[in-house]
Amino acid sequence: MPYSPAQAPLGMFGGTFDPIHNGHLRTAFEFAERLDLERVLFIPAADPPHRPPPRVTARQRLEFVRAAIDDEPRFALDDRELRRGGRSYTVLTLGELRAEHGDRPLVLCLGMDAFLGLPFWHRWEELATLAHIAVAHRPGFQPPVEGPLAKLVAERRSEDPADLAASPAGRLFFFAGTQLELSATELRDVLESGRDPRYLMPEAVRRMILATGAYARPGDQEG
Ligand code: ATP
């Protein structure tokens, strides 16, 4: 019997969000539109593996995400990786979400840079069995042409969003939306050098960051 999904696909957008910026938000919004996601869950990593420790605390990064997505009804904050503690392994998060949502289509949304690093993720081969994977092109990063990811692409790629809505997991979708050349690294650099991040991030987040002195160079903070 063909699979008939009871509910529209749910998107998951994880990240360090150190800090959240308009590249994250626009990408997540375009994923929601293109894949007709009922909702996109923003899932800040508490303790992200494979990168240096974030510049500010997980709680601060989460509060910035909360403020950033506040006015978009299709976006929601999911704080499970902070509540769970330990390393923020995506496979554990997806496993929990799969258990909560039965056979609803789940879509792990990634930028191309994150996708290219997938083989280094904990139990990475399980990810595509738990969710679909949707990948946004990002300036400076090319799709894989060889190795395990190229194999994954060959086996699972779909050009049609309807394929993702029609099954719980397992397809891979590439998406070339508006490609904003913007990164949290660049935002940290702007903030640390005392420049103004206006129009690179939501105004509410900009105000919180400036008011708290988060990301200021040590010694530059008031107090
Ligand atoms: P950093 O510069 O600190 O590495 P980042 O800007 O890449 O940070 P992350 O929080 O590491 O942000 O990324 C979370 C997710 O958002 C990843 O899947 C990443 O690929 C994606 N992403 C971040 N910025 C963009 C962008 N400008 N366009 C598309 N995807 C993006």
Side-chain angles (χ1 to χ4, degrees):
M1 201 171 81
Y3 171 75
S4 109
Q7 291 169 297
L10 183 68
M12 286 143 300
F13 196 69
T16 309
F17 303 123
D18 188 28
I20 191 161
H21 55 71
N22 288 345
H24 296 127
L25 293 161
R26 183 68 204 174
T27 300
F29 186 73
E30 291 187 3
F31 270 131
E33 287 192 315
R34 186 78 181 87
L35 299 175
D36 208 11
L37 305 175
E38 186 182 287
R39 197 157 286 246
V40 179
L41 302 180
F42 280 69
I43 312 177
D47 181 7
H50 310 305
R51 57 180 292 152
R55 180 73 163 68
V56 306
T57 66
R59 179 56 56 185
Q60 277 176 301
R61 291 182 284 111
L62 177 130
E63 291 308 330
F64 297 150
V65 173
R66 190 196 305 281
I69 66 175
D70 181 54
D71 61 356
E72 170 47 53
R74 278 210 267 192
F75 289 172
L77 178 65
D78 186 317
D79 67 353
R80 73 181 60 231
E81 294 189 354
L82 272 75
R83 284 187 279 111
R84 192 169 70 223
R87 301 317 288 280
S88 301
Y89 293 123
T90 299
V91 69
L92 302 181
T93 300
L94 287 188
E96 290 175 10
L97 285 160
R98 175 52 67 208
E100 288 163 26
H101 290 280
D103 58 6
R104 180 179 188 165
L106 299 178
V107 185
L108 176 65
C109 299
L110 301 172
M112 184 65 79
D113 59 307
F115 178 65
L116 293 174
L118 218 60
F120 300 100
W121 292 20
H122 186 53
R123 292 163 46 192
W124 78 277
E125 280 158 315
E126 292 171 48
L127 297 172
T129 67
L130 292 165
H132 301 296
I133 300 176
V135 184
H137 286 273
R138 192 173 174 185
F141 298 92
Q142 301 301 320
V145 290
E146 56 185 27
L149 285 180
K151 185 163 173 278
L152 193 78
V153 175
E155 288 168 358
R156 297 181 181 271
R157 183 166 187 179
S158 163
E159 311 274 347
D160 185 356
D163 290 339
L164 279 67
S167 63
R171 305 308 298 263
L172 184 61
F173 183 82
F174 286 108
F175 171 54
T178 309
Q179 292 172 54
L180 296 172
E181 198 164 355
L182 192 53
S183 68
T185 303
E186 186 186 329
L187 260 292
R188 291 193 296 277
D189 187 48
V190 166
L191 289 159
E192 280 172 18
S193 59
R195 285 177 287 141
D196 192 335
R198 189 185 277 272
Y199 307 128
L200 299 177
M201 56 171 37
E203 182 56 16
V205 179
R206 172 181 169 271
R207 284 173 192 265
M208 286 167 79
I209 288 177
L210 296 181
T212 54
Y215 301 102
R217 250 196 320 247
D220 283 358
Q221 272 168 274
E222 289 174 36

